[in-house]
Amino acid sequence: MTATTSKSTATAISAAPDGLPLTITAAAEALRDGTFTSVSLTQAVQARSDTLDPLLGTYISRLDEAALDAAAAADAELAAGVDRGLLHGIPLGIKDIIATREGPSTAQSLILDPGFGTGPDGDRYDAVVVQRLRAAGAVLTGKTTTTEYAIGMPDESKGFPTPHNAYDLDFWPGGSSSGTGNGVASGQFLGGLGTDTGGSIRMPAAWSNLSGMKQTFGRVPKSGCVPLGFSYDHIGPLTRSARDAAAMLAVLAGHDESDACSVNRPVDDYVGALTGSMAGLKVGVDLSFLDWAACDPDVAGLTRDAVAVFKDAGAIVTEVKLPLWQELCTATMCGLVIEGMAYHRGDFRSRWNDYGRPTRLSIGQGMFMTAADFVQAQRVRRVGVRAVTELFGQYDLLITPTTLVPPLPVDNLDFGDLIASILTPYWNATGNPAMSIPMGLTSGGLPVGLQLAAKPFDEATIFQAADAFQLLTDHHLVESAAILELLS
Amino acid sequence: MTDSTVPTIEDFQSRAADQGFEFELARYAAALSTHAGMRDALLRLRKVPLSFLEPTEPNSALVWIENGGESK
C-alpha cells in the first residue's frame, strides 16, 4: 500500500493558498474556533468557483447571493449560540434534478417543464431533502451539472456544460452526479447531493476521490426530484469523508409522507456509530472481479491493498461470490430504461430531437423491451433480494471495487463501455445500502473506489467501517495536483 | 436458449410505430446496435430459473414456475 501524508480528519486543511478546510467536519470546527465565518467560507468557495467552474463544468446555476444571505444568517445564529449541528453554515451543492426555491431545475435537459418545482400557488418549492438541509443551516451554493435526466453521458450539443474530472481535466468525473462530484473534489463546496439509479452517486465518488452513499431504498424521501427509474432512484450525499457523509445522511434520512416509497422507521445515529474500529466485523469480499479481463491492474492492486487494511484492522475477511451478479445488474439496467421510457414517452414523441443522443439511445431502449422482460426483471430482483439476504446472514459487509477501471476520457465516452465498467447497479436492484470510498490513485494519478454494502437500513455499519478505514489510510484527503496548480 | 429471436430493423420499426414513433432508418440501426450490446445480458436475465415468489405469485403458478416456465 502506498502511504499518504497522515492528516487528522478533523483538521484536514487544503494545501491551496486559501487554506480551505477539506471536509465538513474540519469546516464545522473552523466555524466554531473562529478560523472562518460561514460568510468568509462561502466567499472562499465562490472564489474557487470563479476560477474552476469554467474549466470543470461544475454548475448549471450558481446561487451566490442567496448563499451569502444564508451564510450571514448562519453566522448570526452561531454567534447567538444557536447551533444546528455539523452542517450549520456549510456550503453544499445540489444536483440540478432536485428542486430548490431559488430557481428552475433543468435536469440538464431542454425538455423538462420549467415549471418543475413550482407549487399550486405559483411559488417555487424545495425538495424535501433541500428543506432538511436548510433546516440544518446549510448554505446552498448552486445547482450542479448532471447528465440529461441523470442517464447517459455528456452531450455538448444541447448547450450545457461538460463536466471534467478534478484530478485530470482530460477525464470525466463520472456521472450522473458529475458536478456534485467534481465540485466537492475541487473544494467549490464541501459536500453535496447526488442521485443514484444505477450508480450515479458511487461512480462519481469513486472517480472523484470521494465518499458517496446510496442508502437503503426508501430511507431518504425523493419528493421534488425528477425521476429516472421510479423503483431504483435514490438521493444521497457525496463528501470527502465517510464521517461527513454520515453527518449529511443523518439530516436527509427519515420518513416523509409525500413519497410513497419513503419508509417510516427510526433513523440510526450514524455519527455516533463511528467508533473508529472495524475489529470483529464480518466482511465478505468478492475478488472474482479482479480476474475479469476488463479489470484494470491498478484497480485490482488497490482493491487488494484496501482489503489488507480491513484484515490488519481486525475485520474477519472471507472471500465470497455475490449471487446472480450479472442478472441483477441487468435487472437494474433493463428496469430503469423501461421505467424511464414510461416517463418520457410523450416527450419522446413530440420533442425527440430536443433530447440528447445518449439519452435517446439509453432510455429509448425501453421502447424495444417487452412487458415480460420488465416483469422478469422485477421477479429476479425478488429472488436476488432473498439470495443477498441469506448471504448477509453470515456477513456484516460485502465488498467489491466500485468500478473495474479508472475514470474514462471525457472526449471519447461510450455508453456501452461505461455500463461495462461499473459494479454498482447490483445494489440498486436489491435496494441495499452501498457506499463508495476512496482507495487510492492509480499510477496515472486517477482516483478509484471501494464499494461497501450492508443489510437494509444498516448504513451505520458501512459508515463505521468506512470511517475506520479512512482513519488508517487518508486516501480521501489526497487533493488533486491539477486543482492545486490552478489555484496557486 | 438459442437466440433465434434477434430483432430486426423491421421489428424495431413495428414496435416503434405501435407506440407512435417513426424514425429514419439510421436511428433504427443505432438502436439495434445498442440493443445488440446488451442482448446477451437480456437473454441471461430471461432464463433465470425462478422459484415460487410468495406472496406475489398465485398458487396455481407454482408448478409451472418450478418446471422452469415450461408445461411438462
Side-chain angles (χ1 to χ4, degrees):
Chain A
M1 181 175 63
T2 304
T4 54
T5 306
S6 180
K7 295 179 183 177
S8 159
T9 296
T11 57
I13 302 298
S14 171
D18 56 18
L20 275 181
L22 287 172
T23 64
I24 290 172
T25 304
E29 190 173 288
L31 292 181
R32 285 157 184 79
D33 70 14
T35 310
F36 278 93
T37 63
S38 181
V39 167
S40 67
L41 184 63
T42 302
Q43 288 171 331
V45 296
Q46 288 174 344
R48 279 200 178 199
S49 292
D50 292 343
T51 302
L52 299 177
D53 181 36
L55 302 171
L56 290 177
T58 298
Y59 282 116
I60 299 254
S61 54
R62 287 173 57 174
L63 306 174
D64 286 0
E65 194 174 330
L68 287 170
D69 288 346
D75 285 335
E77 286 193 333
L78 286 167
V82 178
D83 192 329
R84 297 175 186 264
L86 273 176
L87 302 188
H88 203 170
I90 301 296
L92 303 177
I94 308 293
K95 185 176 182 178
D96 199 33
I97 65 168
I98 300 169
T100 56
R101 68 186 182 214
E102 286 88 351
S105 303
T106 68
Q108 198 142 333
S109 177
L110 301 177
I111 301 291
L112 185 66
D113 180 354
F116 178 83
T118 304
D121 55 2
D123 290 339
R124 294 198 175 277
Y125 62 80
D126 287 333
V128 172
V129 287
V130 174
Q131 292 171 25
R132 290 179 176 178
L133 291 176
R134 282 195 212 275
V139 173
L140 309 185
T141 59
K143 306 298 288 294
T144 60
T145 48
T146 168
T147 52
E148 185 175 34
Y149 281 104
I151 196 167
M153 298 172 302
D155 181 358
E156 288 183 351
S157 71
K158 302 304 178 196
F160 293 97
T162 295
H164 294 258
N165 194 296
Y167 285 77
D168 188 329
L169 274 62
D170 290 336
F171 291 81
W172 190 45
S176 62
S177 308
S178 313
T180 302
N182 72 15
V184 178
S186 60
Q188 296 185 69
F189 36 85
L190 298 179
L193 291 183
T195 61
D196 191 317
T197 307
S200 289
I201 288 173
R202 290 160 288 157
M203 184 205 318
W207 287 350
S208 300
N209 208 41
L210 301 178
S211 304
M213 168 63 93
K214 177 209 84 67
Q215 65 289 323
T216 312
F217 185 78
R219 180 72 289 180
V220 171
K222 298 176 291 183
S223 314
C225 180
V226 178
L228 171 56
F230 303 89
S231 70
Y232 303 88
D233 291 342
H234 305 68
I235 303 174
L238 280 139
T239 55
R240 270 208 179 267
S241 73
R243 176 172 287 271
D244 288 358
M248 278 193 72
L249 188 62
V251 169
L252 300 170
H255 177 65
D256 191 280
E257 63 183 14
S258 63
D259 178 1
C261 300
S262 172
V263 177
N264 191 358
R265 58 177 286 160
V267 177
D268 290 337
D269 178 2
Y270 302 129
V271 176
L274 307 180
T275 62
S277 169
M278 61 174 108
L281 285 182
K282 289 174 283 185
V283 177
V285 183
D286 191 339
L287 297 176
S288 63
F289 302 105
L290 310 188
D291 297 326
W292 289 13
C295 186
D296 180 88
D298 282 355
V299 170
L302 290 167
T303 302
R304 293 185 197 285
D305 289 348
V307 170
V309 173
F310 276 77
K311 287 179 180 171
D312 292 346
I316 303 161
V317 178
T318 309
E319 282 203 43
V320 298
K321 185 84 172 71
L322 293 179
L324 291 169
W325 179 267
Q326 294 281 9
E327 293 83 354
L328 284 166
C329 289
T330 306
T332 291
M333 300 317 296
C334 287
L336 81 85
V337 297
I338 294 171
E339 290 183 5
M341 185 64 201
Y343 181 76
H344 287 280
R345 179 152 40 198
D347 285 326
F348 267 168
R349 280 204 196 102
S350 58
R351 302 183 61 185
W352 178 261
N353 289 314
D354 284 340
Y355 280 94
R357 186 171 186 273
T359 313
R360 298 191 304 245
L361 272 177
S362 51
I363 294 180
Q365 283 299 309
M367 200 184 307
F368 305 119
M369 291 180 187
T370 68
D373 290 333
F374 185 73
V375 172
Q376 176 74 353
Q378 305 316 309
R379 297 178 77 216
V380 167
R381 290 175 77 179
R382 290 181 65 86
V383 172
V385 165
R386 291 178 184 182
V388 165
T389 299
E390 191 175 330
L391 196 56
F392 272 120
Q394 304 165 62
Y395 299 102
D396 300 306
L397 294 171
L398 295 173
I399 289 180
T400 68
T402 308
T403 66
L404 292 170
V405 298
L408 302 172
V410 71
D411 289 334
N412 191 28
L413 289 170
D414 175 85
F415 189 64
D417 290 347
L418 176 63
I419 297 303
S421 71
I422 56 177
L423 299 177
T424 49
Y426 186 86
W427 299 112
N428 295 80
T430 66
N432 291 68
M435 183 177 201
S436 182
I437 58 172
M439 64 174 183
L441 304 183
T442 64
S443 52
L446 294 167
V448 289
L450 187 72
Q451 182 172 234
L452 287 62
K455 301 178 184 78
F457 301 101
D458 193 17
E459 289 83 2
T461 299
I462 296 179
F463 285 133
Q464 177 195 343
D467 176 63
F469 181 86
Q470 291 180 347
L471 289 174
L472 294 168
T473 59
D474 279 354
H475 296 310
H476 63 299
L477 297 178
V478 175
E479 293 183 87
S480 157
I483 296 301
L484 292 177
E485 187 176 334
L486 287 166
L487 294 173
S488 64
Chain B
M1 179 190 295
T2 56
D3 191 9
S4 58
T5 56
V6 179
T8 62
I9 284 181
E10 290 73 25
D11 293 331
F12 272 23
Q13 283 176 314
S14 170
R15 290 185 207 176
D18 180 52
Q19 296 175 68
F21 296 96
E22 187 176 349
F23 303 115
E24 57 196 73
L25 211 54
R27 294 206 189 280
Y28 292 109
L32 196 58
S33 171
T34 302
H35 181 84
M38 59 190 303
R39 182 77 182 168
D40 286 349
L42 183 62
L43 292 178
R44 187 166 172 161
L45 178 76
R46 286 175 177 173
K47 68 180 182 182
V48 174
L50 294 169
S51 59
F52 180 51
L53 295 177
E54 193 179 16
T56 56
E57 307 282 355
N59 289 334
S60 54
L62 177 57
V63 172
W64 182 80
I65 291 169
E66 287 187 337
N67 284 335
E70 295 177 6
S71 298
K72 292 180 181 174

